[in-house]
Amino acid sequence: MADWNGEIATREELRERKRRAALRVASRLFNEKGYHATSLDEIADRIGVTKTALYYYFRNKEELLYECIETSLKAGERAREEIGMLPGGAYDTFRAFYLRFLQQVVADNGSYTTLINIRALPLSMQETLIARREALQDHLRSLLDGAVAEGRLRPIATENTAQFLLAAVNWIMASCVEQVDGSADPVKLSEDFLDQILNGLETR
């Protein structure tokens, strides 16, 4: 099948775009109304499709919620795999990893839901998501510990800081949701946010 030099989206690309659009709409409704108060009919109506059409992309509402929650986890896991461990040490790796994490989140265009909704999922799904989140948090804490040991960061409570950095990702995602035209620049938004985290707000 001709691809028109990449100008025309493939069937797989179109399907993925539709899935992402559904995740963005569902995540907004889950965050606004809560999981139990949001119906598949309402999600489908907001998207502009039938509920039957929605079942082509997601088996049920639980799967839809699961994928909304794991959006940020996937971004972090991709960033960790791409960055690996840099020769410069823990601080350089932490900075590159978290920056890439944020860029991936912004590029995903704001599909997310708060972890409060995780309790609506079956226990097996909850345990999977929590384990993946803890793995990312442990990775962040390890890099922060290394950066403190290198003298690149002042002594900090690295466990609490790692928790904060993961929680902050949801704020970034929420800000992307508000920019419904997709105008957010992943690089600039991520660099500005990381600069605030590393350098604070006070004049030095």
Side-chain angles (χ1 to χ4, degrees):
M1 182 173 129
D3 64 4
W4 295 81
N5 291 323
E7 294 296 327
I8 306 299
T10 65
R11 182 178 301 175
E12 291 75 17
E13 288 170 338
L14 287 173
R15 187 175 189 279
E16 182 58 25
R17 289 179 190 176
K18 291 176 181 178
R19 281 177 58 83
R20 288 194 179 191
L23 288 170
R24 287 195 296 274
V25 170
S27 67
R28 290 170 195 162
L29 287 172
F30 290 150
N31 291 330
E32 291 169 7
K33 302 181 61 177
Y35 174 76
H36 294 294
T38 302
S39 68
L40 280 177
D41 286 306
E42 188 174 5
I43 294 170
D45 184 64
R46 184 75 67 90
I47 297 169
V49 301
T50 65
K51 185 167 73 171
T52 301
L54 200 56
Y55 280 127
Y56 178 69
Y57 302 97
F58 306 95
R59 288 177 296 179
N60 49 46
K61 194 170 76 165
E62 288 177 348
E63 183 176 83
L64 190 52
L65 174 62
Y66 181 92
E67 292 202 25
C68 285
I69 294 176
E70 78 164 352
T71 297
S72 61
L73 299 177
K74 282 183 176 179
E77 289 162 354
R78 288 196 304 267
R80 180 177 182 178
E81 184 176 343
E82 289 176 13
I83 298 303
M85 191 69 189
L86 299 181
Y91 175 81
D92 290 338
T93 301
F94 156 70
R95 193 184 188 288
F97 161 70
Y98 196 66
L99 182 61
R100 186 59 183 148
F101 191 171
L102 295 175
Q103 290 171 352
Q104 294 268 14
V105 160
V106 179
D108 280 338
N109 206 17
S111 169
Y112 86 108
T113 188
T114 60
L115 286 177
I116 293 174
N117 285 316
I118 196 175
R119 295 173 185 167
L121 291 171
L123 185 59
S124 60
M125 285 185 169
Q126 292 185 41
E127 290 174 343
T128 298
L129 292 171
I130 290 171
R132 289 169 65 182
R133 179 181 172 82
E134 288 179 347
L136 282 174
Q137 185 172 306
D138 288 345
H139 181 59
L140 268 171
R141 190 196 68 245
S142 175
L143 293 176
L144 292 170
D145 284 338
V148 170
E150 292 169 351
R152 300 291 301 276
L153 291 178
R154 63 182 176 80
I156 55 175
T158 55
E159 180 71 27
N160 293 339
T161 304
Q163 290 178 0
F164 163 76
L165 290 172
L166 277 185
V169 169
N170 265 5
W171 181 89
I172 284 282
M173 298 179 88
S175 72
C176 294
V177 167
E178 293 170 2
Q179 299 185 57
V180 294
D181 61 353
S183 61
D185 179 347
V187 175
K188 186 176 189 312
L189 183 60
S190 303
E191 288 179 346
D192 287 348
F193 188 68
L194 183 59
D195 178 68
Q196 291 172 22
I197 290 174
L198 294 179
N199 298 312
L201 301 175
E202 292 181 348
T203 300
R204 298 292 179 180

